Amino acid sequence: MPDMAATSDPALEAAPYPDILPQYALPKAPKGRLTENSEAELEARGARLQNRAKNL
C-alpha cells in the first residue's frame, strides 16, 4: 500500500474550502435521460448491433 503522504497534493491542501450555498442557489440537477421506453429502445439497439456484427 502506498504511503498516503505520497498521494497528497500540497496545492490542494492549501486551497480554500468552497463557500457553502443555500439549497435554492445550488445548480439544478440535469433531467434524466431515461424514459418508460428506454428498456425497449436499448434492447432494439442491442439487437441491431448484434445483427451488424454477424454481417461483418
mmCIF file of all heavy atoms in Angstrom:
data_model
loop_
_atom_site.group_PDB
_atom_site.id
_atom_site.type_symbol
_atom_site.label_atom_id
_atom_site.label_comp_id
_atom_site.label_asym_id
_atom_site.label_seq_id
_atom_site.Cartn_x
_atom_site.Cartn_y
_atom_site.Cartn_z
ATOM 1 N N MET A 1 0.852 -1.179 0.000
ATOM 2 C CA MET A 1 0.000 0.000 0.000
ATOM 3 C C MET A 1 0.896 1.240 0.000
ATOM 4 O O MET A 1 1.815 1.345 0.801
ATOM 5 C CB MET A 1 -0.904 -0.024 1.231
ATOM 6 C CG MET A 1 -1.894 1.079 1.244
ATOM 7 S SD MET A 1 -3.304 0.650 2.271
ATOM 8 C CE MET A 1 -3.242 1.937 3.459
ATOM 9 N N PRO A 2 0.642 2.185 -0.915
ATOM 10 C CA PRO A 2 1.497 3.377 -0.972
ATOM 11 C C PRO A 2 1.305 4.256 0.249
ATOM 12 O O PRO A 2 0.269 4.243 0.899
ATOM 13 C CB PRO A 2 1.030 4.090 -2.233
ATOM 14 C CG PRO A 2 -0.334 3.596 -2.479
ATOM 15 C CD PRO A 2 -0.395 2.206 -1.919
ATOM 16 N N ASP A 3 2.327 5.023 0.519
ATOM 17 C CA ASP A 3 2.283 5.976 1.621
ATOM 18 C C ASP A 3 1.272 7.072 1.287
ATOM 19 O O ASP A 3 1.277 7.620 0.193
ATOM 20 C CB ASP A 3 3.671 6.575 1.833
ATOM 21 C CG ASP A 3 3.724 7.545 2.984
ATOM 22 O OD1 ASP A 3 2.879 7.426 3.891
ATOM 23 O OD2 ASP A 3 4.605 8.416 2.980
ATOM 24 N N MET A 4 0.373 7.374 2.200
ATOM 25 C CA MET A 4 -0.668 8.366 1.945
ATOM 26 C C MET A 4 -0.085 9.749 1.696
ATOM 27 O O MET A 4 -0.642 10.542 0.944
ATOM 28 C CB MET A 4 -1.665 8.418 3.110
ATOM 29 C CG MET A 4 -2.525 7.171 3.226
ATOM 30 S SD MET A 4 -3.457 6.805 1.742
ATOM 31 C CE MET A 4 -4.653 8.099 1.766
ATOM 32 N N ALA A 5 1.040 10.074 2.297
ATOM 33 C CA ALA A 5 1.657 11.381 2.086
ATOM 34 C C ALA A 5 2.110 11.527 0.641
ATOM 35 O O ALA A 5 2.136 12.626 0.094
ATOM 36 C CB ALA A 5 2.817 11.576 3.042
ATOM 37 N N ALA A 6 2.450 10.427 0.002
ATOM 38 C CA ALA A 6 2.911 10.480 -1.379
ATOM 39 C C ALA A 6 1.766 10.783 -2.335
ATOM 40 O O ALA A 6 2.002 11.188 -3.470
ATOM 41 C CB ALA A 6 3.567 9.158 -1.757
ATOM 42 N N THR A 7 0.534 10.590 -1.920
ATOM 43 C CA THR A 7 -0.606 10.829 -2.806
ATOM 44 C C THR A 7 -1.251 12.187 -2.586
ATOM 45 O O THR A 7 -2.169 12.549 -3.306
ATOM 46 C CB THR A 7 -1.671 9.734 -2.613
ATOM 47 O OG1 THR A 7 -2.131 9.773 -1.269
ATOM 48 C CG2 THR A 7 -1.125 8.364 -2.923
ATOM 49 N N SER A 8 -0.815 12.952 -1.609
ATOM 50 C CA SER A 8 -1.428 14.252 -1.355
ATOM 51 C C SER A 8 -0.782 15.321 -2.230
ATOM 52 O O SER A 8 0.367 15.209 -2.635
ATOM 53 C CB SER A 8 -1.305 14.627 0.118
ATOM 54 O OG SER A 8 0.043 14.843 0.459
ATOM 55 N N ASP A 9 -1.531 16.344 -2.519
ATOM 56 C CA ASP A 9 -1.065 17.450 -3.352
ATOM 57 C C ASP A 9 -1.021 18.712 -2.482
ATOM 58 O O ASP A 9 -2.065 19.160 -1.996
ATOM 59 C CB ASP A 9 -2.020 17.623 -4.528
ATOM 60 C CG ASP A 9 -1.562 18.692 -5.502
ATOM 61 O OD1 ASP A 9 -0.594 19.425 -5.204
ATOM 62 O OD2 ASP A 9 -2.179 18.797 -6.574
ATOM 63 N N PRO A 10 0.147 19.290 -2.283
ATOM 64 C CA PRO A 10 0.236 20.482 -1.432
ATOM 65 C C PRO A 10 -0.658 21.634 -1.901
ATOM 66 O O PRO A 10 -1.193 22.377 -1.089
ATOM 67 C CB PRO A 10 1.712 20.885 -1.505
ATOM 68 C CG PRO A 10 2.433 19.643 -1.928
ATOM 69 C CD PRO A 10 1.461 18.862 -2.764
ATOM 70 N N ALA A 11 -0.841 21.771 -3.211
ATOM 71 C CA ALA A 11 -1.704 22.844 -3.723
ATOM 72 C C ALA A 11 -3.147 22.622 -3.289
ATOM 73 O O ALA A 11 -3.861 23.570 -2.962
ATOM 74 C CB ALA A 11 -1.607 22.923 -5.238
ATOM 75 N N LEU A 12 -3.585 21.356 -3.289
ATOM 76 C CA LEU A 12 -4.948 21.066 -2.846
ATOM 77 C C LEU A 12 -5.096 21.283 -1.347
ATOM 78 O O LEU A 12 -6.135 21.748 -0.882
ATOM 79 C CB LEU A 12 -5.329 19.633 -3.205
ATOM 80 C CG LEU A 12 -5.548 19.352 -4.680
ATOM 81 C CD1 LEU A 12 -5.842 17.870 -4.901
ATOM 82 C CD2 LEU A 12 -6.675 20.192 -5.236
ATOM 83 N N GLU A 13 -4.079 20.932 -0.607
ATOM 84 C CA GLU A 13 -4.141 21.119 0.842
ATOM 85 C C GLU A 13 -4.209 22.596 1.206
ATOM 86 O O GLU A 13 -4.824 22.967 2.203
ATOM 87 C CB GLU A 13 -2.934 20.464 1.499
ATOM 88 C CG GLU A 13 -2.970 18.946 1.419
ATOM 89 C CD GLU A 13 -1.719 18.295 1.996
ATOM 90 O OE1 GLU A 13 -0.902 18.999 2.642
ATOM 91 O OE2 GLU A 13 -1.567 17.086 1.810
ATOM 92 N N ALA A 14 -3.590 23.458 0.397
ATOM 93 C CA ALA A 14 -3.574 24.896 0.681
ATOM 94 C C ALA A 14 -4.791 25.617 0.108
ATOM 95 O O ALA A 14 -5.025 26.778 0.440
ATOM 96 C CB ALA A 14 -2.303 25.519 0.113
ATOM 97 N N ALA A 15 -5.567 24.958 -0.727
ATOM 98 C CA ALA A 15 -6.725 25.590 -1.369
ATOM 99 C C ALA A 15 -7.808 25.879 -0.334
ATOM 100 O O ALA A 15 -8.006 25.118 0.602
ATOM 101 C CB ALA A 15 -7.281 24.686 -2.459
ATOM 102 N N PRO A 16 -8.510 27.010 -0.488
ATOM 103 C CA PRO A 16 -9.582 27.329 0.458
ATOM 104 C C PRO A 16 -10.797 26.427 0.232
ATOM 105 O O PRO A 16 -11.009 25.909 -0.864
ATOM 106 C CB PRO A 16 -9.929 28.780 0.123
ATOM 107 C CG PRO A 16 -9.545 28.935 -1.306
ATOM 108 C CD PRO A 16 -8.351 28.041 -1.511
ATOM 109 N N TYR A 17 -11.571 26.249 1.264
ATOM 110 C CA TYR A 17 -12.808 25.486 1.153
ATOM 111 C C TYR A 17 -13.812 26.290 0.327
ATOM 112 O O TYR A 17 -13.847 27.518 0.403
ATOM 113 C CB TYR A 17 -13.411 25.207 2.537
ATOM 114 C CG TYR A 17 -12.739 24.070 3.247
ATOM 115 C CD1 TYR A 17 -11.756 24.310 4.187
ATOM 116 C CD2 TYR A 17 -13.084 22.753 2.982
ATOM 117 C CE1 TYR A 17 -11.121 23.263 4.846
ATOM 118 C CE2 TYR A 17 -12.466 21.707 3.630
ATOM 119 C CZ TYR A 17 -11.480 21.961 4.560
ATOM 120 O OH TYR A 17 -10.864 20.931 5.192
ATOM 121 N N PRO A 18 -14.642 25.626 -0.465
ATOM 122 C CA PRO A 18 -15.650 26.371 -1.230
ATOM 123 C C PRO A 18 -16.703 26.955 -0.303
ATOM 124 O O PRO A 18 -16.904 26.482 0.814
ATOM 125 C CB PRO A 18 -16.253 25.308 -2.150
ATOM 126 C CG PRO A 18 -15.924 24.005 -1.522
ATOM 127 C CD PRO A 18 -14.677 24.204 -0.714
ATOM 128 N N ASP A 19 -17.364 28.001 -0.777
ATOM 129 C CA ASP A 19 -18.439 28.613 0.003
ATOM 130 C C ASP A 19 -19.598 27.635 0.145
ATOM 131 O O ASP A 19 -19.878 26.848 -0.755
ATOM 132 C CB ASP A 19 -18.957 29.882 -0.681
ATOM 133 C CG ASP A 19 -17.914 30.988 -0.674
ATOM 134 O OD1 ASP A 19 -17.043 30.986 0.224
ATOM 135 O OD2 ASP A 19 -17.976 31.844 -1.569
ATOM 136 N N ILE A 20 -20.262 27.691 1.262
ATOM 137 C CA ILE A 20 -21.464 26.890 1.478
ATOM 138 C C ILE A 20 -22.640 27.703 0.966
ATOM 139 O O ILE A 20 -22.831 28.855 1.330
ATOM 140 C CB ILE A 20 -21.631 26.540 2.977
ATOM 141 C CG1 ILE A 20 -20.468 25.661 3.412
ATOM 142 C CG2 ILE A 20 -22.966 25.855 3.213
ATOM 143 C CD1 ILE A 20 -20.468 25.340 4.888
ATOM 144 N N LEU A 21 -23.416 27.097 0.077
ATOM 145 C CA LEU A 21 -24.544 27.786 -0.548
ATOM 146 C C LEU A 21 -25.859 27.273 0.008
ATOM 147 O O LEU A 21 -25.971 26.102 0.361
ATOM 148 C CB LEU A 21 -24.528 27.552 -2.064
ATOM 149 C CG LEU A 21 -23.304 28.034 -2.821
ATOM 150 C CD1 LEU A 21 -23.384 27.603 -4.277
ATOM 151 C CD2 LEU A 21 -23.176 29.540 -2.720
ATOM 152 N N PRO A 22 -26.878 28.130 0.057
ATOM 153 C CA PRO A 22 -28.213 27.634 0.415
ATOM 154 C C PRO A 22 -28.743 26.739 -0.701
ATOM 155 O O PRO A 22 -28.325 26.839 -1.852
ATOM 156 C CB PRO A 22 -29.048 28.906 0.553
ATOM 157 C CG PRO A 22 -28.309 29.935 -0.212
ATOM 158 C CD PRO A 22 -26.865 29.558 -0.200
ATOM 159 N N GLN A 23 -29.653 25.884 -0.378
ATOM 160 C CA GLN A 23 -30.151 24.903 -1.334
ATOM 161 C C GLN A 23 -30.718 25.556 -2.591
ATOM 162 O O GLN A 23 -30.503 25.067 -3.696
ATOM 163 C CB GLN A 23 -31.205 24.017 -0.685
ATOM 164 C CG GLN A 23 -31.661 22.896 -1.575
ATOM 165 C CD GLN A 23 -32.605 21.946 -0.876
ATOM 166 O OE1 GLN A 23 -32.975 22.162 0.268
ATOM 167 N NE2 GLN A 23 -32.999 20.903 -1.552
ATOM 168 N N TYR A 24 -31.409 26.681 -2.453
ATOM 169 C CA TYR A 24 -32.022 27.307 -3.629
ATOM 170 C C TYR A 24 -30.974 27.834 -4.607
ATOM 171 O O TYR A 24 -31.248 28.020 -5.781
ATOM 172 C CB TYR A 24 -32.986 28.429 -3.226
ATOM 173 C CG TYR A 24 -32.319 29.623 -2.604
ATOM 174 C CD1 TYR A 24 -31.781 30.626 -3.387
ATOM 175 C CD2 TYR A 24 -32.235 29.751 -1.224
ATOM 176 C CE1 TYR A 24 -31.168 31.730 -2.818
ATOM 177 C CE2 TYR A 24 -31.625 30.841 -0.642
ATOM 178 C CZ TYR A 24 -31.089 31.833 -1.441
ATOM 179 O OH TYR A 24 -30.475 32.909 -0.876
ATOM 180 N N ALA A 25 -29.745 28.059 -4.154
ATOM 181 C CA ALA A 25 -28.705 28.601 -5.010
ATOM 182 C C ALA A 25 -27.862 27.513 -5.683
ATOM 183 O O ALA A 25 -27.028 27.818 -6.519
ATOM 184 C CB ALA A 25 -27.794 29.521 -4.198
ATOM 185 N N LEU A 26 -28.092 26.258 -5.334
ATOM 186 C CA LEU A 26 -27.324 25.168 -5.936
ATOM 187 C C LEU A 26 -27.755 24.958 -7.377
ATOM 188 O O LEU A 26 -28.902 25.204 -7.732
ATOM 189 C CB LEU A 26 -27.543 23.879 -5.140
ATOM 190 C CG LEU A 26 -27.016 23.893 -3.707
ATOM 191 C CD1 LEU A 26 -27.397 22.594 -2.996
ATOM 192 C CD2 LEU A 26 -25.517 24.077 -3.673
ATOM 193 N N PRO A 27 -26.834 24.500 -8.218
ATOM 194 C CA PRO A 27 -27.227 24.240 -9.609
ATOM 195 C C PRO A 27 -28.261 23.126 -9.685
ATOM 196 O O PRO A 27 -28.264 22.200 -8.869
ATOM 197 C CB PRO A 27 -25.926 23.825 -10.291
ATOM 198 C CG PRO A 27 -24.904 23.676 -9.234
ATOM 199 C CD PRO A 27 -25.443 24.234 -7.960
ATOM 200 N N LYS A 28 -29.138 23.232 -10.649
ATOM 201 C CA LYS A 28 -30.187 22.232 -10.823
ATOM 202 C C LYS A 28 -29.593 20.951 -11.394
ATOM 203 O O LYS A 28 -28.700 20.987 -12.228
ATOM 204 C CB LYS A 28 -31.271 22.739 -11.774
ATOM 205 C CG LYS A 28 -31.917 24.029 -11.323
ATOM 206 C CD LYS A 28 -32.761 23.797 -10.085
ATOM 207 C CE LYS A 28 -33.471 25.068 -9.689
ATOM 208 N NZ LYS A 28 -33.425 25.355 -8.302
ATOM 209 N N ALA A 29 -30.108 19.818 -10.947
ATOM 210 C CA ALA A 29 -29.666 18.526 -11.467
ATOM 211 C C ALA A 29 -30.178 18.368 -12.894
ATOM 212 O O ALA A 29 -31.283 18.813 -13.219
ATOM 213 C CB ALA A 29 -30.189 17.407 -10.588
ATOM 214 N N PRO A 30 -29.369 17.747 -13.755
ATOM 215 C CA PRO A 30 -29.855 17.548 -15.123
ATOM 216 C C PRO A 30 -31.045 16.598 -15.151
ATOM 217 O O PRO A 30 -31.176 15.733 -14.290
ATOM 218 C CB PRO A 30 -28.647 16.931 -15.842
ATOM 219 C CG PRO A 30 -27.797 16.364 -14.760
ATOM 220 C CD PRO A 30 -28.057 17.191 -13.530
ATOM 221 N N LYS A 31 -31.903 16.800 -16.129
ATOM 222 C CA LYS A 31 -33.068 15.923 -16.260
ATOM 223 C C LYS A 31 -32.604 14.535 -16.660
ATOM 224 O O LYS A 31 -31.630 14.382 -17.405
ATOM 225 C CB LYS A 31 -34.029 16.463 -17.312
ATOM 226 C CG LYS A 31 -34.727 17.721 -16.891
ATOM 227 C CD LYS A 31 -35.782 18.105 -17.894
ATOM 228 C CE LYS A 31 -36.543 19.314 -17.370
ATOM 229 N NZ LYS A 31 -37.695 19.633 -18.183
ATOM 230 N N GLY A 32 -33.303 13.536 -16.187
ATOM 231 C CA GLY A 32 -32.961 12.172 -16.533
ATOM 232 C C GLY A 32 -33.163 11.899 -18.006
ATOM 233 O O GLY A 32 -34.043 12.486 -18.641
ATOM 234 N N ARG A 33 -32.331 11.049 -18.553
ATOM 235 C CA ARG A 33 -32.446 10.739 -19.968
ATOM 236 C C ARG A 33 -33.189 9.434 -20.201
ATOM 237 O O ARG A 33 -33.420 9.057 -21.336
ATOM 238 C CB ARG A 33 -31.055 10.667 -20.589
ATOM 239 C CG ARG A 33 -30.341 12.003 -20.498
ATOM 240 C CD ARG A 33 -29.048 12.062 -21.222
ATOM 241 N NE ARG A 33 -28.287 10.837 -21.252
ATOM 242 C CZ ARG A 33 -27.059 10.747 -21.693
ATOM 243 N NH1 ARG A 33 -26.441 11.808 -22.108
ATOM 244 N NH2 ARG A 33 -26.429 9.600 -21.704
ATOM 245 N N LEU A 34 -33.557 8.753 -19.149
ATOM 246 C CA LEU A 34 -34.290 7.510 -19.297
ATOM 247 C C LEU A 34 -35.788 7.801 -19.325
ATOM 248 O O LEU A 34 -36.272 8.684 -18.627
ATOM 249 C CB LEU A 34 -33.962 6.551 -18.154
ATOM 250 C CG LEU A 34 -32.510 6.092 -18.061
ATOM 251 C CD1 LEU A 34 -32.321 5.208 -16.838
ATOM 252 C CD2 LEU A 34 -32.098 5.348 -19.310
ATOM 253 N N THR A 35 -36.490 7.039 -20.138
ATOM 254 C CA THR A 35 -37.941 7.168 -20.219
ATOM 255 C C THR A 35 -38.557 5.791 -20.030
ATOM 256 O O THR A 35 -37.851 4.796 -19.870
ATOM 257 C CB THR A 35 -38.366 7.737 -21.587
ATOM 258 O OG1 THR A 35 -38.038 6.782 -22.596
ATOM 259 C CG2 THR A 35 -37.690 9.065 -21.885
ATOM 260 N N GLU A 36 -39.869 5.732 -20.113
ATOM 261 C CA GLU A 36 -40.530 4.431 -19.979
ATOM 262 C C GLU A 36 -40.227 3.525 -21.173
ATOM 263 O O GLU A 36 -40.414 2.318 -21.112
ATOM 264 C CB GLU A 36 -42.047 4.600 -19.802
ATOM 265 C CG GLU A 36 -42.753 5.278 -20.957
ATOM 266 C CD GLU A 36 -42.765 6.795 -20.873
ATOM 267 O OE1 GLU A 36 -42.299 7.354 -19.864
ATOM 268 O OE2 GLU A 36 -43.234 7.412 -21.821
ATOM 269 N N ASN A 37 -39.722 4.101 -22.272
ATOM 270 C CA ASN A 37 -39.376 3.315 -23.465
ATOM 271 C C ASN A 37 -37.896 2.957 -23.528
ATOM 272 O O ASN A 37 -37.474 2.284 -24.466
ATOM 273 C CB ASN A 37 -39.751 4.086 -24.730
ATOM 274 C CG ASN A 37 -41.230 4.350 -24.818
ATOM 275 O OD1 ASN A 37 -42.039 3.538 -24.375
ATOM 276 N ND2 ASN A 37 -41.600 5.495 -25.372
ATOM 277 N N SER A 38 -37.116 3.397 -22.567
ATOM 278 C CA SER A 38 -35.672 3.213 -22.630
ATOM 279 C C SER A 38 -35.264 1.749 -22.726
ATOM 280 O O SER A 38 -34.379 1.398 -23.510
ATOM 281 C CB SER A 38 -34.995 3.852 -21.414
ATOM 282 O OG SER A 38 -35.136 5.252 -21.452
ATOM 283 N N GLU A 39 -35.889 0.894 -21.953
ATOM 284 C CA GLU A 39 -35.500 -0.518 -21.966
ATOM 285 C C GLU A 39 -35.732 -1.137 -23.340
ATOM 286 O O GLU A 39 -34.857 -1.814 -23.890
ATOM 287 C CB GLU A 39 -36.269 -1.301 -20.902
ATOM 288 C CG GLU A 39 -35.822 -2.747 -20.794
ATOM 289 C CD GLU A 39 -36.508 -3.488 -19.659
ATOM 290 O OE1 GLU A 39 -37.295 -2.881 -18.913
ATOM 291 O OE2 GLU A 39 -36.243 -4.683 -19.545
ATOM 292 N N ALA A 40 -36.882 -0.888 -23.921
ATOM 293 C CA ALA A 40 -37.187 -1.431 -25.246
ATOM 294 C C ALA A 40 -36.241 -0.859 -26.304
ATOM 295 O O ALA A 40 -35.776 -1.582 -27.194
ATOM 296 C CB ALA A 40 -38.635 -1.145 -25.616
ATOM 297 N N GLU A 41 -35.938 0.430 -26.204
ATOM 298 C CA GLU A 41 -35.026 1.057 -27.167
ATOM 299 C C GLU A 41 -33.627 0.462 -27.060
ATOM 300 O O GLU A 41 -32.968 0.211 -28.077
ATOM 301 C CB GLU A 41 -34.983 2.567 -26.934
ATOM 302 C CG GLU A 41 -36.275 3.278 -27.302
ATOM 303 C CD GLU A 41 -36.308 4.716 -26.828
ATOM 304 O OE1 GLU A 41 -35.370 5.166 -26.128
ATOM 305 O OE2 GLU A 41 -37.299 5.398 -27.138
ATOM 306 N N LEU A 42 -33.158 0.226 -25.840
ATOM 307 C CA LEU A 42 -31.838 -0.365 -25.657
ATOM 308 C C LEU A 42 -31.788 -1.800 -26.164
ATOM 309 O O LEU A 42 -30.799 -2.219 -26.782
ATOM 310 C CB LEU A 42 -31.429 -0.306 -24.179
ATOM 311 C CG LEU A 42 -31.070 1.074 -23.657
ATOM 312 C CD1 LEU A 42 -30.850 1.032 -22.147
ATOM 313 C CD2 LEU A 42 -29.834 1.602 -24.350
ATOM 314 N N GLU A 43 -32.841 -2.556 -25.926
ATOM 315 C CA GLU A 43 -32.881 -3.933 -26.427
ATOM 316 C C GLU A 43 -32.899 -3.949 -27.958
ATOM 317 O O GLU A 43 -32.211 -4.755 -28.582
ATOM 318 C CB GLU A 43 -34.095 -4.665 -25.859
ATOM 319 C CG GLU A 43 -33.952 -5.009 -24.394
ATOM 320 C CD GLU A 43 -35.188 -5.661 -23.813
ATOM 321 O OE1 GLU A 43 -36.192 -5.855 -24.536
ATOM 322 O OE2 GLU A 43 -35.150 -5.976 -22.620
ATOM 323 N N ALA A 44 -33.647 -3.054 -28.575
ATOM 324 C CA ALA A 44 -33.695 -2.980 -30.038
ATOM 325 C C ALA A 44 -32.337 -2.575 -30.595
ATOM 326 O O ALA A 44 -31.868 -3.142 -31.588
ATOM 327 C CB ALA A 44 -34.780 -1.995 -30.477
ATOM 328 N N ARG A 45 -31.691 -1.624 -29.958
ATOM 329 C CA ARG A 45 -30.363 -1.192 -30.411
ATOM 330 C C ARG A 45 -29.364 -2.336 -30.285
ATOM 331 O O ARG A 45 -28.537 -2.554 -31.169
ATOM 332 C CB ARG A 45 -29.896 0.015 -29.604
ATOM 333 C CG ARG A 45 -28.555 0.531 -30.057
ATOM 334 C CD ARG A 45 -28.219 1.861 -29.406
ATOM 335 N NE ARG A 45 -27.000 2.378 -29.977
ATOM 336 C CZ ARG A 45 -25.874 2.534 -29.285
ATOM 337 N NH1 ARG A 45 -25.821 2.237 -28.005
ATOM 338 N NH2 ARG A 45 -24.799 3.002 -29.887
ATOM 339 N N GLY A 46 -29.442 -3.072 -29.183
ATOM 340 C CA GLY A 46 -28.554 -4.215 -28.996
ATOM 341 C C GLY A 46 -28.763 -5.266 -30.077
ATOM 342 O O GLY A 46 -27.803 -5.824 -30.605
ATOM 343 N N ALA A 47 -30.013 -5.525 -30.425
ATOM 344 C CA ALA A 47 -30.313 -6.498 -31.487
ATOM 345 C C ALA A 47 -29.762 -6.022 -32.831
ATOM 346 O O ALA A 47 -29.190 -6.809 -33.587
ATOM 347 C CB ALA A 47 -31.815 -6.728 -31.573
ATOM 348 N N ARG A 48 -29.923 -4.723 -33.126
ATOM 349 C CA ARG A 48 -29.377 -4.183 -34.380
ATOM 350 C C ARG A 48 -27.866 -4.314 -34.426
ATOM 351 O O ARG A 48 -27.283 -4.693 -35.444
ATOM 352 C CB ARG A 48 -29.778 -2.713 -34.550
ATOM 353 C CG ARG A 48 -31.232 -2.502 -34.921
ATOM 354 C CD ARG A 48 -31.507 -1.068 -35.376
ATOM 355 N NE ARG A 48 -31.061 -0.051 -34.425
ATOM 356 C CZ ARG A 48 -31.796 0.433 -33.416
ATOM 357 N NH1 ARG A 48 -33.027 -0.021 -33.219
ATOM 358 N NH2 ARG A 48 -31.317 1.360 -32.620
ATOM 359 N N LEU A 49 -27.192 -4.030 -33.313
ATOM 360 C CA LEU A 49 -25.745 -4.126 -33.276
ATOM 361 C C LEU A 49 -25.280 -5.573 -33.411
ATOM 362 O O LEU A 49 -24.275 -5.846 -34.086
ATOM 363 C CB LEU A 49 -25.207 -3.503 -31.977
ATOM 364 C CG LEU A 49 -25.326 -1.990 -31.883
ATOM 365 C CD1 LEU A 49 -24.937 -1.510 -30.482
ATOM 366 C CD2 LEU A 49 -24.460 -1.301 -32.935
ATOM 367 N N GLN A 50 -26.008 -6.500 -32.807
ATOM 368 C CA GLN A 50 -25.651 -7.912 -32.959
ATOM 369 C C GLN A 50 -25.812 -8.361 -34.412
ATOM 370 O O GLN A 50 -24.968 -9.096 -34.931
ATOM 371 C CB GLN A 50 -26.507 -8.774 -32.034
ATOM 372 C CG GLN A 50 -26.081 -8.678 -30.580
ATOM 373 C CD GLN A 50 -26.947 -9.512 -29.652
ATOM 374 O OE1 GLN A 50 -28.005 -9.996 -30.052
ATOM 375 N NE2 GLN A 50 -26.502 -9.675 -28.427
ATOM 376 N N ASN A 51 -26.868 -7.900 -35.071
ATOM 377 C CA ASN A 51 -27.061 -8.225 -36.481
ATOM 378 C C ASN A 51 -25.944 -7.650 -37.339
ATOM 379 O O ASN A 51 -25.457 -8.309 -38.263
ATOM 380 C CB ASN A 51 -28.422 -7.749 -36.985
ATOM 381 C CG ASN A 51 -29.559 -8.596 -36.467
ATOM 382 O OD1 ASN A 51 -29.360 -9.770 -36.143
ATOM 383 N ND2 ASN A 51 -30.742 -8.014 -36.387
ATOM 384 N N ARG A 52 -25.556 -6.434 -37.075
ATOM 385 C CA ARG A 52 -24.437 -5.823 -37.815
ATOM 386 C C ARG A 52 -23.166 -6.623 -37.605
ATOM 387 O O ARG A 52 -22.401 -6.840 -38.552
ATOM 388 C CB ARG A 52 -24.217 -4.378 -37.361
ATOM 389 C CG ARG A 52 -25.181 -3.388 -37.952
ATOM 390 C CD ARG A 52 -24.893 -1.975 -37.519
ATOM 391 N NE ARG A 52 -23.566 -1.549 -37.921
ATOM 392 C CZ ARG A 52 -22.969 -0.423 -37.492
ATOM 393 N NH1 ARG A 52 -23.614 0.366 -36.650
ATOM 394 N NH2 ARG A 52 -21.782 -0.101 -37.899
ATOM 395 N N ALA A 53 -22.914 -7.037 -36.357
ATOM 396 C CA ALA A 53 -21.699 -7.794 -36.066
ATOM 397 C C ALA A 53 -21.707 -9.135 -36.801
ATOM 398 O O ALA A 53 -20.666 -9.572 -37.322
ATOM 399 C CB ALA A 53 -21.580 -8.015 -34.557
ATOM 400 N N LYS A 54 -22.840 -9.784 -36.881
ATOM 401 C CA LYS A 54 -22.939 -11.065 -37.612
ATOM 402 C C LYS A 54 -22.663 -10.871 -39.090
ATOM 403 O O LYS A 54 -22.077 -11.728 -39.741
ATOM 404 C CB LYS A 54 -24.326 -11.679 -37.416
ATOM 405 C CG LYS A 54 -24.557 -12.274 -36.070
ATOM 406 C CD LYS A 54 -25.978 -12.822 -35.984
ATOM 407 C CE LYS A 54 -26.291 -13.238 -34.564
ATOM 408 N NZ LYS A 54 -27.701 -13.676 -34.426
ATOM 409 N N ASN A 55 -23.107 -9.741 -39.643
ATOM 410 C CA ASN A 55 -22.926 -9.473 -41.064
ATOM 411 C C ASN A 55 -21.511 -9.048 -41.423
ATOM 412 O O ASN A 55 -21.164 -9.026 -42.610
ATOM 413 C CB ASN A 55 -23.925 -8.411 -41.545
ATOM 414 C CG ASN A 55 -25.351 -8.895 -41.493
ATOM 415 O OD1 ASN A 55 -25.599 -10.100 -41.639
ATOM 416 N ND2 ASN A 55 -26.292 -7.996 -41.270
ATOM 417 N N LEU A 56 -20.720 -8.705 -40.449
ATOM 418 C CA LEU A 56 -19.335 -8.320 -40.738
ATOM 419 C C LEU A 56 -18.558 -9.529 -41.017
ATOM 420 O O LEU A 56 -17.864 -10.124 -41.313
ATOM 421 C CB LEU A 56 -18.714 -7.530 -39.589
ATOM 422 C CG LEU A 56 -19.296 -6.148 -39.357
ATOM 423 C CD1 LEU A 56 -18.660 -5.519 -38.121
ATOM 424 C CD2 LEU A 56 -19.030 -5.250 -40.559
#
